[in-house]
């Protein structure tokens, strides 16, 4: 072999090796079947790479990422930021990224989220830069934080859905992939792994024909009665694991009642063993719809922190529940009230730094405009009757605040984790709302059912703040700020399917319609 031939052979091998590290462009993705509806100009990507002097290895990873998507935007649709952008942004905030670019990225994302009427153009240079910076940040994050080998390059490129798919085929591809090194993402994300195990169970049910629909008036489902419908319900409850043993009898017996109780617990209902219309509606959801719900939430769980240490506060909006963790262990949990539809509580993360006892409520301008001013026009005594006062004027509106006291809308204490959305935890005088199953009533902030317990937990170890002193501060009527010695990360999440500490698959209603939006983008049917 000549020297020239040797040189050509080596050069060809370099080309082949390089091409293996860049996924082929997926031309099958079009505007009709893409997950997001806007596409990036490849020249804009190359300009970004050149302008930012991105090293060749990273540049190739970015090229490969967009080849997989046929240059479809990953982090934006024409309606704004994608749900994945919110999840990844939360993960970056949790890790405490502090570079100038990351701070600028956080500010950009917060501003986009705070703009209710945002419209995205695929030619907007600022949007393009944000899109590409998020992608580079994802690659950087993966290389720095995921244990080596557990997130393959091609898998990372699929972290964000890119093309509508048949849910059964998508599930099969996730469940049946094989890696030579036997390293899988599920091994470093427990929540994802547990949900994937449930996905397999539900796919097996679907392949066996699913489960029957139950037709009838819920009032006829009485304990002691007999009907073939009860046999059908027992079959469903056996398939879902709520009945430990098959029961083919036609009687509404204790076995069925216990199975219904188990089902109710998993769906957030009071476990009374009674059949209601709501319960029948849940039972009658087809297995394939549950599979879609599991797949959607598996995607969300990609953005959970890996093996967090120390304290972590998590609020799951559809569950209306707050959890405090110390590492993997649950230290505290409580029911919460979240934002009503139209005043959605935003998905984000930050750090809780401050407790405010006997707080003033500085009424947001939107509430002043839409609620306070009209009430003042109808009733001259409205402010005094509600213990409120005007402290100034801004943009043609009075600046209104409510004084500390038992009727204060924030209750007796609030907990601050400063953010663009002005969302925080607080007490409330409206305690009866915590007895409801659906607790979406606020203007976006999160009301706690056990605020004193939360304060005591956060101030544990501080000898100055005994339970008695906390109670006195909450009832003093004098506003008092207390800074935590160590800030506590807060995650505001949106999971409608997850596996609990007892290994049970839970489902909750899609209160903001996020699942519905994702399903329309993610699945072909």
């Amino acid at each position: 072999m000549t020297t020239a031939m040797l040189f050509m052979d080596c050069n060809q091998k370099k080309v082949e090796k390089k091409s293996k590290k860049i996924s082929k462009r997926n031309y099958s993705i079009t505007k009709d079947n893409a997950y997001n509806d806007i596409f990036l100009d490849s020249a804009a990507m190359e300009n970004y790479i050149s302008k930012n002097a991105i090293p060749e290895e990273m540049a190739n990873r970015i090229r490969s990422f967009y080849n997989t998507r046929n240059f479809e935007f990953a982090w934006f649709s024409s309606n704004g930021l994608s749900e994945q952008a919110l999840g990844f942004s939360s993960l970056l905030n949790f890790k405490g990224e502090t570079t100038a670019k990351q701070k600028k990225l956080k500010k950009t994302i917060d501003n986009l989220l705070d703009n209710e009427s945002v419209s995205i153009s695929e030619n907007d240079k600022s949007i393009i830069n944000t899109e590409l910076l998020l992608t580079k940040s994802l690659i950087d994050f993966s290389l720095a934080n995921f244990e080596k080998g557990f997130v393959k390059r091609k898998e990372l490129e699929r972290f964000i859905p890119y093309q509508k798919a048949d849910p059964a085929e998508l599930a099969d591809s996730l469940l049946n992939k094989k890696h030579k090194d036997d390293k899988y993402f599920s091994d470093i994300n427990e929540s994802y792994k547990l949900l994937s195990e449930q996905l397999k169970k539900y796919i097996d049910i679907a392949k066996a024909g699913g489960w029957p629909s139950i037709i009838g008036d819920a009032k006829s489902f009485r304990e002691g009665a007999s009907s073939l419908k009860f046999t059908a319900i027992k079959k469903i409850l056996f398939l879902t694991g709520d009945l430990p043993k098959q029961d083919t009898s036609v009687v509404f017996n204790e076995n069925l009642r216990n199975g219904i109780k188990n089902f109710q617990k998993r769906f957030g209902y009071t476990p009374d063993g009674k059949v209601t219309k709501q319960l029948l509606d849940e039972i009658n959801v087809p297995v394939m719809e549950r599979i879609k719900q599991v797949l959607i939430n598996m995607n969300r769980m990609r953005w959970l922190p890996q093996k967090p240490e120390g304290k972590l506060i998590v609020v799951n909006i559809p569950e209306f529940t707050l959890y405090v963790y110390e590492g993997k262990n649950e230290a505290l949990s409580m029911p919460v009230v979240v934002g009503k539809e139209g005043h959605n509580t935003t998905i984000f993360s930050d750090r809780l730094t401050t407790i405010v006892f006997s707080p003033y409520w500085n009424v947001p301008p939107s509430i002043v405009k839409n609620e306070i001013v009209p009430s003042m026009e109808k009733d001259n005594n409205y402010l005094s009757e509600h213990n409120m006062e005007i402290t100034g004027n801004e943009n043609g509106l009075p600046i209104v605040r409510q004084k500390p006291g038992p009727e204060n809308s924030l209750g007796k204490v609030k907990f601050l984790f400063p953010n663009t959305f002005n969302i925080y935890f607080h007490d409330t005088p409206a305690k009866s709302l915590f007895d409801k199953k659906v607790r979406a009533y606020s203007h976006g902030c999160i009301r706690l059912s056990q605020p004193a317990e939360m304060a005591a937990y956060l101030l544990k170890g501080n000898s100055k703040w005994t339970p008695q002193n906390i109670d006195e501060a909450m009832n003093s009527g004098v506003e008092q700020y207390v800074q935590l010695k160590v800030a506590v990360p807060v995650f505001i999440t949106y999971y409608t399917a997850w596996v609990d500490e007892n290994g049970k698959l839970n489902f909750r209603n899609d209160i903001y319609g996020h699942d519905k939006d994702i399903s329309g983008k993610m699945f072909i049917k």
Side-chain angles (χ1 to χ4, degrees):
M1 185 179 289
T2 66
T3 303
M5 290 174 68
L6 280 170
F7 177 78
M8 288 173 65
D9 185 55
C10 290
N11 198 44
Q12 179 64 30
K13 286 181 179 179
K14 285 181 181 179
V15 171
E16 288 176 358
K17 187 176 181 182
K18 179 179 176 181
S19 66
K20 285 181 181 179
K21 291 186 177 180
I22 301 179
S23 297
K24 292 181 180 179
R25 187 163 178 176
N26 185 355
Y27 287 101
S28 71
I29 298 174
T30 67
K31 282 186 178 287
D32 293 329
N33 63 18
Y35 178 78
N36 288 323
D37 60 350
I38 54 176
F39 284 74
L40 180 70
D41 187 335
S42 60
M45 179 194 72
E46 291 298 338
N47 182 55
Y48 176 87
I49 289 170
S50 175
K51 186 177 179 181
N52 290 275
I54 294 175
E56 187 67 6
E57 185 174 350
M58 173 59 74
N60 284 338
R61 280 183 170 268
I62 294 172
R63 292 177 180 117
S64 184
F65 182 89
Y66 285 102
N67 274 352
T68 297
R69 312 180 62 79
N70 199 19
F71 286 83
E72 167 198 349
F73 273 70
W75 308 101
F76 289 94
S77 71
S78 59
N79 295 324
L81 284 161
S82 68
E83 186 178 283
Q84 289 74 28
L86 308 189
F88 181 46
S89 176
S90 289
L91 195 53
L92 287 176
N93 291 345
F94 173 78
K95 295 299 292 186
E97 300 290 346
T98 56
T99 64
K101 280 193 174 182
Q102 294 299 346
K103 286 181 178 179
K104 184 179 179 182
L105 177 62
K106 182 180 186 303
K107 186 176 180 181
T108 300
I109 289 173
D110 287 352
N111 288 339
L112 285 165
L113 288 173
D114 207 31
N115 186 345
E116 295 180 358
S117 59
V118 66
S119 180
I120 301 299
S121 167
E122 58 193 5
N123 299 314
D124 186 321
K125 289 184 179 179
S126 174
I127 295 298
I128 292 170
N129 285 339
T130 302
E131 164 76 18
L132 292 166
L133 179 54
L134 274 165
T135 298
K136 182 180 180 300
S137 298
L138 174 63
I139 297 167
D140 283 332
F141 183 92
S142 173
L143 294 172
N145 294 282
F146 294 140
E147 294 176 50
K148 189 173 181 180
F150 284 95
V151 179
K152 310 293 190 281
R153 172 181 60 80
K154 288 187 177 181
E155 182 174 17
L156 186 70
E157 292 168 4
R158 290 162 174 77
F159 259 39
I160 301 161
Y162 55 87
Q163 188 172 12
K164 289 183 175 68
D166 178 282
E169 291 178 4
L170 178 59
D172 273 338
S173 71
L174 290 172
L175 294 171
N176 297 318
K177 63 187 175 187
K178 299 295 180 185
H179 295 163
K180 290 181 181 179
D181 60 6
D182 207 29
K183 291 181 177 180
Y184 299 90
F185 176 67
S186 56
D187 295 327
I188 58 171
N189 187 316
E190 183 71 11
S191 298
Y192 182 93
K193 180 179 182 178
L194 292 171
L195 209 47
S196 68
E197 290 169 352
Q198 294 293 329
L199 176 65
K200 183 181 186 309
K201 173 181 171 180
Y202 275 64
I203 280 291
D204 289 344
I205 293 171
K207 288 179 177 178
W211 51 60
S213 292
I214 310 299
I215 300 171
D217 184 353
K219 293 178 182 177
S220 67
F221 290 73
R222 299 186 310 276
E223 196 163 356
S226 297
S227 171
L228 289 173
K229 294 173 184 175
F230 301 152
T231 308
I233 293 180
K234 289 174 184 178
K235 178 182 179 181
I236 296 171
L237 296 178
F238 175 70
L239 289 172
T240 57
D242 296 301
L243 266 183
K245 293 182 180 179
Q246 183 79 42
D247 181 347
T248 58
S249 71
V250 297
V251 180
F252 192 138
N253 52 18
E254 185 179 0
N255 194 32
L256 176 55
R257 187 163 70 91
N258 290 335
I260 290 169
K261 283 183 178 181
N262 291 333
F263 185 92
Q264 288 171 321
K265 288 176 187 175
R266 295 192 302 110
F267 282 76
Y269 292 94
T270 302
D272 57 13
K274 296 178 182 178
V275 176
T276 63
K277 182 183 181 303
Q278 275 186 314
L279 190 71
L280 285 177
D281 288 344
E282 298 284 13
I283 289 173
N284 282 328
V285 172
V287 65
M288 194 53 66
E289 290 305 309
R290 293 301 182 198
I291 287 169
K292 290 179 183 179
Q293 198 171 352
V294 170
L295 285 166
I296 288 167
N297 283 276
M298 283 176 66
N299 267 333
R300 289 176 178 143
M301 286 173 180
R302 293 186 186 279
W303 313 112
L304 280 174
Q306 308 299 309
K307 301 177 183 178
E309 297 178 354
K311 296 175 182 176
L312 173 64
I313 299 170
V314 177
V315 174
N316 186 18
I317 296 169
E319 189 185 2
F320 310 108
T321 302
L322 175 148
Y323 297 93
V324 181
Y325 294 100
E326 293 178 358
K328 283 189 174 182
N329 300 317
E330 183 184 311
L332 183 67
S333 66
M334 67 185 72
V336 299
V337 170
V338 301
K340 56 189 173 184
E341 193 169 359
H343 296 274
N344 298 6
T345 299
T346 305
I347 302 166
F348 72 105
S349 73
D350 227 299
R351 280 169 164 70
L352 198 157
T353 60
T354 310
I355 301 174
V356 185
F357 294 114
S358 295
Y360 281 95
W361 178 38
N362 298 303
V363 186
S366 60
I367 298 178
V368 172
K369 179 182 178 181
N370 298 323
E371 300 179 28
I372 304 295
V373 170
S375 297
M376 288 168 58
E377 290 172 349
K378 292 177 183 177
D379 181 0
N380 291 333
N381 297 318
Y382 179 84
L383 291 180
S384 60
E385 288 171 356
H386 290 82
N387 203 26
M388 292 179 173
E389 61 185 3
I390 294 175
T391 61
N393 285 275
E394 188 175 354
N395 298 324
L397 281 176
I399 299 173
V400 180
R401 70 178 183 179
Q402 189 176 36
K403 301 173 188 177
E407 299 305 314
N408 186 287
S409 293
L410 303 185
K412 299 175 181 180
V413 60
K414 68 178 178 179
F415 305 83
L416 304 181
F417 36 104
N419 55 82
T420 308
F421 323 110
N422 198 28
I423 290 176
Y424 45 86
F425 301 146
H426 65 86
D427 181 22
T428 175
K431 304 295 186 185
S432 62
L433 294 179
F434 295 111
D435 296 329
K436 297 181 179 291
K437 178 185 182 291
V438 177
R439 297 188 291 274
Y441 293 97
S442 81
H443 284 83
C445 286
I446 297 165
R447 306 175 190 174
L448 307 185
S449 58
Q450 302 169 40
E453 289 85 343
M454 174 65 94
Y457 176 81
L458 293 172
L459 294 170
K460 186 170 58 176
N462 187 329
S463 58
K464 179 182 176 182
W465 290 104
T466 63
Q468 181 181 346
N469 290 345
I470 288 171
D471 183 67
E472 289 175 359
M474 287 176 64
N475 291 283
S476 69
V478 178
E479 190 174 64
Q480 182 177 1
Y481 281 69
V482 179
Q483 299 293 324
L484 297 184
K485 291 180 180 178
V486 179
V488 180
V490 175
F491 258 74
I492 311 298
T493 63
Y494 194 92
Y495 297 116
T496 59
W498 73 95
V499 177
D500 64 23
E501 66 278 3
N502 298 314
K504 303 296 183 183
L505 176 59
N506 282 246
F507 289 106
R508 292 297 186 275
N509 290 333
D510 179 25
I511 63 168
Y512 293 159
H514 293 340
D515 283 13
K516 183 179 179 181
D517 291 343
I518 296 293
S519 183
K521 296 169 62 172
M522 193 169 169
F523 305 117
I524 58 176
K525 61 180 180 179

